[in-house]
Every structure is written in C-alpha cells, then in structure tokens.
Amino acid sequence: MQKVQSDLEEEVLHVLQDVTDPEMPFISIVDLGMVEKVEAEDYHVFVKLLPTFSGCPALDMIKGDVLEKVRKAISKWNESLDIQVEFSFHPPWTTNRISEEGRKKLNLNGISPPPAEHKHGEPWEVDCPYCGSTYVTMENIFGPTACRSILYCDECNNPFEAMKPIANLNEKVE
Ligand SMILES: [Zn+2]
C-alpha cells in the first residue's frame, strides 16, 4: 500500500480496520491485504480495494460496509465529502499480502495461514494451528469456502482448516 499522507487518509485507514470479510469476520480487510489505496483530496475520498477469492455477495457487503463506516467517520471533517470505493484486479491480490497480524488471527481461529512468501507452483506445507505439528493429513480439499481446505492433525487429533496459498488469483480457475 502507498504511504498514508494526511490525517484524513489516516482516519479512513483506521476505520477500514473495522471492516471484515463476512466469510472471515475475525480479520480486517486491512490485515487481509485488500486495501491498496486510500486517497483524500479536496472533497473526495477514494478507496481502492483488491478482491480476494470471496464471491460477489461478500464483496458487495464489504463495499457497503466501507461506505457506511467511512461516511460516518468523516462526516465530522466535512459533510460534503464524496466517497468512492472501487474494486480493482491491478495489482492482483495474493495471500502474500496478508499481514503478520492477519496470519496470527487466522491461526487463533483454527485456520492455518498460507505461507508468508508463496511462489506459484511451490509445494505448500501446512502447520497445525493448535500444536504446530506438520504431521497433518488432508481430509477434504474443498472446505467451507473454495479457498479453504479441511485437514486433520495426526499429532493432537484436531481437525482444522487451512487457507490455500494463492500467488496468482487465476490459479483457482486453472
Ligand atoms: Zn495439532
């Protein structure tokens, strides 16, 4: 993300920390790496978001939530501020954009996070989010959402989910 320049931009970014993906309500869109740009100029606030693997209904909800929360927060600056929220595939979102904090939150919620630096085609190693063991078995490649898999830990005997690493969003349709 670009460097935040003004107090207003900082405030907008702060508000975005309260917006989550409805499929993963415990992690903000900032920690998920969805926020690419926050710009505030004159009477115009612009927020550029990168869609993840979430489907359209989730994206619509996120956009609505951003508009509502940002509008509420900035009305004290200037009532006539205009807000624009745009989704863009440039640059494409990847799981490498998830922050350290975001990875921790996934882990705390029983979802093994994807590796911090994943390159396309690299083998993917999963640690159990409960005990850290790599002695795990894939139960079902298709979890509750397309981006998550169900695994089973052979060390602590817990089933858990893992988020698939995505270095390129097109991978999922190949
Ligand atoms: Zn375990």
Side-chain angles (χ1 to χ4, degrees):
M1 226 200 85
Q2 109 279 13
K3 207 170 165 290
V4 173
Q5 289 168 10
S6 68
D7 289 350
L8 180 54
E9 286 171 358
E10 202 166 308
E11 170 108 16
V12 172
L13 194 62
H14 184 71
V15 169
L16 296 180
Q17 299 273 7
D18 289 333
V19 178
T20 60
D21 182 326
E23 285 178 9
M24 281 175 285
F26 46 82
I27 172 172
S28 82
I29 58 170
V30 176
D31 283 326
L32 211 45
M34 285 182 75
V35 180
E36 170 65 11
K37 195 185 266 185
V38 171
E39 242 171 32
E41 234 177 281
D42 301 327
Y43 296 101
H44 192 76
V45 174
F46 175 69
V47 178
K48 180 176 169 185
L49 302 175
L50 310 180
T52 62
F53 33 64
S54 286
C56 298
L59 293 179
D60 282 346
M61 283 174 72
I62 291 170
K63 185 175 178 174
D65 206 17
V66 169
L67 281 171
E68 193 193 311
K69 289 200 164 96
V70 171
R71 188 170 291 137
K72 203 172 156 191
I74 65 179
S75 60
K76 66 170 184 271
W77 295 71
N78 189 326
E79 296 246 339
S80 58
L81 276 170
D82 169 51
I83 311 151
Q84 191 191 351
V85 179
E86 191 184 286
F87 283 107
S88 166
F89 286 96
H90 305 283
W93 178 84
T94 75
T95 49
N96 293 344
R97 295 179 61 98
I98 301 174
S99 72
E100 191 55 42
E101 186 63 24
R103 277 170 219 288
K104 273 187 212 154
K105 282 183 185 152
L106 286 171
N107 213 66
L108 279 173
N109 285 276
I111 300 176
S112 179
E117 294 283 335
H118 176 74
K119 291 193 189 76
H120 181 63
E122 250 181 14
W124 163 43
E125 200 170 88
V126 181
D127 301 337
C128 168
Y130 302 110
C131 71
S133 169
T134 52
Y135 188 41
V136 298
T137 315
M138 180 80 74
E139 287 278 292
N140 185 352
I141 188 126
F142 300 106
T145 67
C147 63
R148 279 141 76 178
S149 298
I150 310 269
L151 291 94
Y152 182 81
C153 179
D154 296 305
E155 196 75 47
C156 68
N157 299 324
N158 277 306
F160 66 93
E161 289 177 32
M163 192 193 281
K164 295 173 201 164
I166 295 174
N168 175 349
L169 266 182
N170 295 328
E171 271 180 59
K172 65 173 184 174
V173 292
E174 270 166 18

